Amino acid sequence: MVTTVTTPRTTNAGGKAPRGRGQRSPLASAGLHLTLIVASVIAVFPVLWVLLTSVKPAKFAISTDFVKEPTLDNYRYLVESTSFFTWFANSVLVAGITTVLGVFIAATTGYAVSRFKFPGMKPLMWTLLITQMFPMAILIVPLYNLMGQLGLLNQPIGLVITYLTIAVPFCAWMMKGFFDTIPIEIDESGRVDGLNPFGTFWRLILPLAKPGLAVTGFYAFITAWGEVAYASAFMVGDEHLTLAGGLQTFVTQYTSNWGAMSAASVLIAIPAAFFFLFAQRHLVAGMTAGATKG
């Protein structure tokens, strides 16, 4: 017959079982949850306020009432009385081209620096890093003069080139860190099978780099989609404005149409939200991999 021995549970001086390692007390748990709730409210409140303002009549646009006489007049005005769809098409064109070119250039640059040793490699990487240290505002005048000399003002390609100068250096650094985590034996097996370096990159390495490509694409898209300074300086006229530049037409020295601006802001955020949802499953893995090695 087998006898089962039961070990009595130890208790502390107050008669309570001691907490396991890593367990929080009820007070600490309540404090943590309260902090998270407050942080969530602070993060969500501005977005909620813009959404509510977009459905308020003009006379209540700056009132503190959350909902008062809700209406869709602001959206109707935006669609019927402005060049919103032209601005939207311009933004889609600029952001789309910037994303595609930015991902390709950053991926090829990151792969080359990760896998090959060539003269000037370290100065190149330092140059990419140093370009991120300059505020965007101080580059507007030299870039404006350069684009004017090249005849690229009021041209979508001019904005694309400008946004690439912002997105590519950071994305190239990130892609290098990601490619460093992919075993070099995969490249060697590709060369054994007769692939050239670009074929190895395109057919073997790139499919393994989807998380990094998702982060790169998301950063390039957001850079082009929501940028205001360059879009306002380089593009004039309703037929050339992007969404970010078009928003500024609602607030001038003499008038302020906060309802229409809020409605436009809500519509502008929708494509960015869809892009994020599409890429989110790769974002965490890509950002983590890119940050582990440099």
Side-chain angles (χ1 to χ4, degrees):
M1 185 175 66
V2 179
T3 303
T4 302
V5 179
T6 303
T7 303
R9 209 174 162 188
T10 58
T11 59
N12 54 23
K16 298 181 180 179
R19 292 188 300 271
R21 185 176 182 181
Q23 291 183 349
R24 291 186 296 268
S25 66
L27 183 60
S29 181
L32 176 62
H33 283 79
L34 180 61
T35 302
L36 293 176
I37 292 173
V38 172
S40 300
V41 170
I42 294 175
V44 172
F45 181 77
V47 179
L48 178 61
W49 189 260
V50 170
L51 179 61
L52 294 176
T53 303
S54 70
V55 295
K56 291 179 181 180
K59 59 183 178 180
F60 298 127
I62 59 174
S63 68
T64 56
D65 297 319
F66 274 84
V67 179
K68 193 166 186 177
E69 300 181 15
T71 178
L72 296 178
D73 287 344
N74 292 321
Y75 291 92
R76 189 176 299 109
Y77 169 81
L78 189 68
V79 172
E80 297 177 354
S81 303
T82 68
S83 302
F84 179 80
F85 289 110
T86 301
W87 305 337
F88 188 89
N90 292 338
S91 289
V92 170
L93 176 65
V94 171
I97 297 176
T98 300
T99 301
V100 173
L101 291 181
V103 169
F104 180 77
I105 297 173
T108 51
T109 302
Y111 179 75
V113 175
S114 174
R115 290 297 194 262
F116 306 110
K117 304 298 181 182
F118 53 88
M121 183 185 71
K122 288 187 177 180
L124 171 63
M125 297 305 296
W126 275 109
T127 300
L128 295 178
L129 183 61
I130 290 173
T131 57
Q132 301 298 297
M133 300 170 61
F134 293 97
M136 293 174 55
I138 68 173
L139 299 177
I140 291 179
V141 173
L143 285 175
Y144 183 91
N145 294 333
L146 180 61
M147 293 299 168
Q149 294 174 4
L150 297 176
L152 295 178
L153 292 178
N154 265 359
Q155 299 293 330
I157 189 62
L159 271 185
V160 170
I161 294 173
T162 302
Y163 293 150
L164 288 176
T165 64
I166 302 172
V168 167
F170 172 77
C171 293
W173 263 97
M174 185 167 53
M175 289 304 300
K176 177 194 179 298
F178 188 85
F179 287 131
D180 286 344
T181 65
I182 299 178
I184 198 171
E185 287 77 13
I186 297 178
D187 302 66
E188 296 172 351
S189 66
R191 287 193 291 269
V192 170
D193 292 337
L195 294 176
N196 58 30
F198 185 79
T200 302
F201 164 75
W202 187 261
R203 298 179 60 180
L204 299 181
I205 304 300
L206 209 58
L208 300 176
K210 288 182 179 179
L213 296 176
V215 178
T216 300
F218 182 74
Y219 180 79
F221 177 82
I222 294 300
T223 297
W225 187 257
E227 198 279 327
V228 177
Y230 293 134
S232 302
F234 297 170
M235 312 294 279
V236 295
D238 278 353
E239 69 276 12
H240 298 120
L241 291 178
T242 60
L243 287 170
L247 281 179
Q248 293 191 336
T249 63
F250 297 121
V251 180
T252 66
Q253 183 178 356
Y254 305 103
T255 61
S256 300
N257 193 340
W258 297 111
M261 173 178 275
S262 300
S265 301
V266 172
L267 296 181
I268 290 173
I270 293 175
F274 275 109
F275 195 95
F276 174 79
L277 291 175
F278 175 77
Q280 67 171 341
R281 62 180 181 145
H282 298 299
L283 288 178
V284 175
M287 293 181 71
T288 303
T292 54
K293 299 182 73 174

